[in-house]
Amino acid sequence: MLRQLLILLAASTLTFAMHTGEININNEDIEAELKFDMGQFNSQLDVDSIFIGGRYIYADKAGDADELIEISYLMQKPLQKMPELQIGIGFKLNYSSAGAYDFVALPLGLEARYRLPLNTIVPLYVASKIYYAPSVLSFSDADSYFEWKANVDIEVIERGLITLGYRYIDTNYNPADVKFNRAAFVGFKFVF
C-alpha cells in the first residue's frame, strides 16, 4: 500500500497534476478559484483528468450584480499526438443576484491549455475557456449566460505561476441584460 502511494505521488508530481488555487485582481475586481484534482483522492481515476472546483468573483463596477459564485466540474486530457495541448469539457453551476432578481445558470463549456514549445528559461502556457448556458439551462430570473476567458501563464518558480488575462462574463436576466464583467487581470496560480 505504501509503495502504491509513493508511486502515485511520484507520477502526479511528474505529470504536473495537482490541485490549483488562483487569485486574479485588477483595480475593481477580485477573482478567487480553487480546483481539486480528483485523481489525487481516488486511485480509480487518472491524475490530471477530473477536477471539481469553486470560484468567487467580486466585480465592483458590475452594476446591481457584483458577486458571482460558481461550482464547476471539468474533465480534461492531453491530445495523443500533441501532449502539450490539453482539451477539457465541463459544466458549472453559477449564482448571482441583481436587486430582487436571482440568477442561476448551468453553462456547458470547453477549455484548452497549451504549453508553448519555446526554449525559454521559464515555461509559458496559453489557455482559454468558453462557457454558454441558453435559456433552457438558465433558471430563476436568468435568461442566458456567456463567459469567455483567455490568459497567459508564466511559471516563474516550480508550481508557482503568474497569470495575465482577460475575462468577459455576460449574465442575461429576464428583465435586463447585465454585462457582469469585462476586465483584464493579473494574478497568481499555485499548484499544490
Side-chain angles (χ1 to χ4, degrees), residues 1-111:
M1 176 69 180
L2 181 59
R3 186 174 141 222
Q4 290 174 337
L5 183 62
L6 291 174
I7 291 171
L8 180 64
L9 182 61
S12 66
T13 303
L14 293 174
T15 61
F16 202 67
M18 294 188 181
H19 317 297
T20 59
E22 184 174 347
I23 187 160
N24 299 319
I25 59 169
N26 60 32
N27 283 340
E28 287 96 24
D29 314 322
I30 185 165
E31 174 185 23
E33 184 171 16
L34 192 58
K35 287 185 181 178
F36 293 102
D37 180 2
M38 293 294 99
Q40 300 292 325
F41 300 118
N42 185 343
S43 63
Q44 303 293 323
L45 301 173
D46 292 335
V47 293
D48 202 26
S49 63
I50 297 177
F51 292 88
I52 294 177
R55 179 171 75 158
Y56 173 80
I57 300 175
Y58 176 79
D60 192 34
K61 298 286 185 182
D64 291 337
D66 57 4
E67 293 180 311
L68 180 75
I69 300 167
E70 92 177 16
I71 298 170
S72 62
Y73 178 85
L74 175 70
M75 293 180 67
Q76 71 178 19
K77 286 281 187 189
L79 294 181
Q80 284 186 343
K81 304 251 183 198
M82 198 175 182
E84 59 275 354
L85 176 62
Q86 289 190 333
I87 303 292
I89 58 173
F91 65 90
K92 304 175 178 191
L93 178 62
N94 291 337
Y95 173 78
S96 186
S97 65
Y101 300 105
D102 289 327
F103 184 93
V104 179
L106 188 67
L108 307 175
L110 297 170
E111 297 191 19

Side-chain angles (χ1 to χ4, degrees), residues 117-132:
L118 302 173
N119 191 14
T120 58
I121 296 172
V122 294
L124 299 171
Y125 302 87
V126 292
S128 184
K129 64 181 174 181
I130 186 167
Y131 280 84
Y132 177 67

Side-chain angles (χ1 to χ4, degrees), residues 22 85-86 110-116 124-130 148-153 163-166 185 189:
E22 184 174 347
L85 176 62
Q86 289 190 333
L110 297 170
E111 297 191 19
R113 185 171 189 227
Y114 180 66
R115 180 177 177 167
L116 295 173
L124 299 171
Y125 302 87
V126 292
S128 184
K129 64 181 174 181
I130 186 167
W148 176 76
K149 184 176 180 180
N151 58 291
V152 174
D153 295 339
T163 184
L164 307 163
Y166 181 82
F185 61 84
K189 188 179 292 184

